[in-house]
Amino acid sequence: MLKTTLLHPEILAVLGSAGRGDQVLVVDGNYPFSTHSHAKAKRVFLNLAPGLLEVPQVLEVVRDTVPVEKYEVIEPTGEADVPVFREFSELFQGVPCERLERAEFHAAAESADTVLTVVTGDQRPYATILLTVGAVEAEDDLPTFEHPPG
């Protein structure tokens, strides 16, 4: 049994092999992932039923597993306030956010850099996000191992 909160074997495998600049797409139940994500990205389906799981729940676990350098969302058309964006901002405090036009977002999600697509049952508008994996910094609280003498 692992000690991390992330226990999903497929997600762990992809994140474990991801490097800086790789992307993780977490989509709501309305996003057309079959046509607007990279064909070679590992697809994981967590959409058991509408409302299960929601994107922020997935993001919290992913955020605690890999460093996030930036994230991108779809610029809403005609809507000034998107409640789920506040949740994203709270989860990724200090992480730059880019709002992309729909076509730009789709192009970014279709990039070969997208290594994982997680499909959720979130039904809220614009609850789709593209994360860019960052680098683990030397000052990050990581365990170090010393070789025994001799």
Side-chain angles (χ1 to χ4, degrees):
M1 180 57 90
L2 299 171
K3 287 183 159 184
T4 177
T5 57
L6 178 57
L7 301 177
H8 195 285
E10 293 173 305
I11 297 174
L12 274 170
V14 175
L15 293 180
S17 63
R20 185 176 195 176
D22 283 339
Q23 298 177 148
V24 175
L25 179 64
V26 183
V27 303
D28 61 43
N30 297 301
Y31 187 82
F33 67 88
S34 62
T35 55
H36 293 296
S37 64
H38 194 270
K40 291 187 178 180
K42 178 67 180 173
R43 292 184 179 161
V44 174
F45 298 94
L46 300 179
N47 53 339
L48 178 65
L52 297 175
L53 290 164
E54 290 190 336
V55 171
Q57 292 171 302
V58 174
L59 293 176
E60 185 174 357
V61 177
V62 170
R63 176 206 62 197
D64 293 346
T65 305
V66 295
V68 175
E69 181 173 288
K70 73 172 183 173
Y71 67 94
E72 297 163 312
V73 296
I74 299 171
E75 179 70 42
T77 54
E79 295 183 39
D81 184 43
V82 179
V84 74
F85 286 2
R86 284 193 299 276
E87 292 179 57
F88 295 167
S89 179
E90 289 173 16
L91 284 166
F92 297 107
Q93 292 179 10
V95 175
C97 172
E98 293 182 36
R99 291 184 178 207
L100 304 177
E101 297 293 329
R102 185 175 305 280
E104 291 175 301
F105 186 91
H106 288 170
E110 293 166 19
S111 161
D113 291 337
T114 303
V115 296
L116 174 64
T117 300
V118 179
V119 183
T120 73
D122 203 325
Q123 298 297 297
R124 295 174 294 170
Y126 301 103
T128 290
I129 188 170
L130 184 63
L131 308 174
T132 299
V133 175
V136 175
E137 301 296 331
E139 63 270 0
D140 286 348
D141 191 25
L142 297 174
T144 57
F145 300 95
E146 294 183 25
H147 296 286

